């Protein structure tokens, strides 16, 4: 089995940013939007009754990051991938103004085995080298020189061109682990 460098997105891939965002905005503004309703990348369009600035404001509030919880199975699976001998890097596009609180309250809290030396902050994931990228954002997968693994999320569930772009879709971390194992075996 080949040892891989596995790049893993943070938001809506290892943690439930979208679900927390909906809950937070609903609590603050009296709206009733379900996580499954986030079928567009542009979250402000899902909350038309809320001013655009107010929709994005929580991302810069320390308190908000307390609401973000890990995705089921993500921590255990990442630990398994690491114990299989692969290297894992968290690759995220995060606003510098919320970076420290986001890392402390989410990443290092729920994934204490990940250290700063395995975190890459970038606005262009295609520039990062690795064997695999697991991400919920299609724009991060298309054009990258890595195996592309799409984590299903409400905003990408209608995408149906995986084969055209060489993308493998997974619905949970058990499936993601199986894909990592398949790719490791392919390189033999």
């Amino acid at each position: 089995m080949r040892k891989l460098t596995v790049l893993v997105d943070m938001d809506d891939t290892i943690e439930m940013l979208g679900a927390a965002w909906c809950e937070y905005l609903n609590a603050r503004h009296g709206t009733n939007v379900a996580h499954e309703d986030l079928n567009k990348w542009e979250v402000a369009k899902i909350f038309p009754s809320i001013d655009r600035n107010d929709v994005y404001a929580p991302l810069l509030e320390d308190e908000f990051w307390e609401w973000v919880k890990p995705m089921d199975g993500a921590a255990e699976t990442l630990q398994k991938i690491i114990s299989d001998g692969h290297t894992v890097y968290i690759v995220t596009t995060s606003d510098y103004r919320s970076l420290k609180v986001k890392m402390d309250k989410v990443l290092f809290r729920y994934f204490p085995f990940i250290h700063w030396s395995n975190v890459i902050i970038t606005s262009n994931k295609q520039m990062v080298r690795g064997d695999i990228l697991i991400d919920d954002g299609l724009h991060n997968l298309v054009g990258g020189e890595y195996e592309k693994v799409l984590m299903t999320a409400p905003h990408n569930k209608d995408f149906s061109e995986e084969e055209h772009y060489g993308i493998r879709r997974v619905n949970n971390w058990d499936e993601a682990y199986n894909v990592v194992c398949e790719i490791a075996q392919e390189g033999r």
Side-chain angles (χ1 to χ4, degrees), residues 84-99:
D84 286 351
H86 306 298
T87 303
V88 170
Y89 288 95
I90 302 301
V91 182
T92 185
T93 302
S94 295
D95 189 303
Y96 71 93
R97 295 171 290 179
S98 62
L99 187 59

Side-chain angles (χ1 to χ4, degrees), residues 11-13 15-16 35 71 134-138 141 149-159 162 167-173 175-176:
D11 300 329
D12 287 322
T13 300
E15 42 86 329
M16 302 292 295
H35 178 230
M71 188 173 282
I134 303 171
D135 204 308
D136 66 297
L138 293 162
L141 297 169
V149 180
L150 177 65
M151 181 66 72
T152 297
H155 56 267
N156 69 35
K157 70 177 188 273
D158 294 331
F159 180 74
E162 291 92 352
I167 295 172
R168 303 178 200 210
R169 181 185 287 273
V170 297
N171 297 301
N172 55 53
W173 275 98
E175 291 179 15

Side-chain angles (χ1 to χ4, degrees), residues 7-185:
L7 310 173
V8 181
D9 175 48
M10 195 167 164
D11 300 329
D12 287 322
T13 300
I14 63 169
E15 42 86 329
M16 302 292 295
L17 175 67
W21 204 349
C22 282
E23 287 177 40
Y24 196 82
L25 289 173
N26 287 338
R28 179 178 274 182
H29 298 280
T31 51
N32 191 24
V33 174
H35 178 230
E36 295 74 33
D37 296 333
L38 290 180
N39 61 358
K40 293 177 178 55
W41 190 259
E42 179 65 39
V43 176
K45 291 181 180 178
I46 309 300
F47 290 89
S49 65
I50 304 173
D51 179 79
R52 186 180 200 291
N53 291 331
D54 291 337
V55 169
Y56 291 98
L59 300 177
L60 300 177
E61 298 170 12
D62 292 359
E63 171 191 323
F64 168 71
W65 295 101
E66 293 285 346
W67 291 57
V68 180
K69 303 297 180 223
M71 188 173 282
D72 287 343
E76 300 81 4
T77 303
L78 291 180
Q79 285 180 307
K80 202 155 105 172
I81 290 169
I82 292 166
S83 71
D84 286 351
H86 306 298
T87 303
V88 170
Y89 288 95
I90 302 301
V91 182
T92 185
T93 302
S94 295
D95 189 303
Y96 71 93
R97 295 171 290 179
S98 62
L99 187 59
K100 182 175 180 353
V101 70
K102 177 181 178 177
M103 295 297 129
D104 288 344
K105 292 189 181 220
V106 182
L107 185 64
F108 301 136
R109 177 180 181 186
Y110 297 114
F111 303 86
F113 53 91
I114 300 287
H115 304 283
W116 268 113
S117 59
N118 287 80
V119 176
I120 300 170
I121 313 300
T122 182
S123 61
N124 186 343
K125 293 183 184 180
Q126 288 82 353
M127 296 298 293
V128 180
R129 291 184 47 192
D131 297 302
I132 301 172
L133 173 62
I134 303 171
D135 204 308
D136 66 297
L138 293 162
H139 61 283
N140 294 319
L141 297 169
V142 174
E145 294 184 19
Y146 31 66
E147 294 290 332
K148 301 155 183 65
V149 180
L150 177 65
M151 181 66 72
T152 297
H155 56 267
N156 69 35
K157 70 177 188 273
D158 294 331
F159 180 74
S160 61
E161 296 183 55
E162 291 92 352
E163 191 173 315
H164 175 75
Y165 290 103
I167 295 172
R168 303 178 200 210
R169 181 185 287 273
V170 297
N171 297 301
N172 55 53
W173 275 98
D174 286 337
E175 291 179 15
Y177 179 74
N178 291 337
V179 169
V180 170
C181 291
E182 287 171 21
I183 292 169
Q185 292 300 327

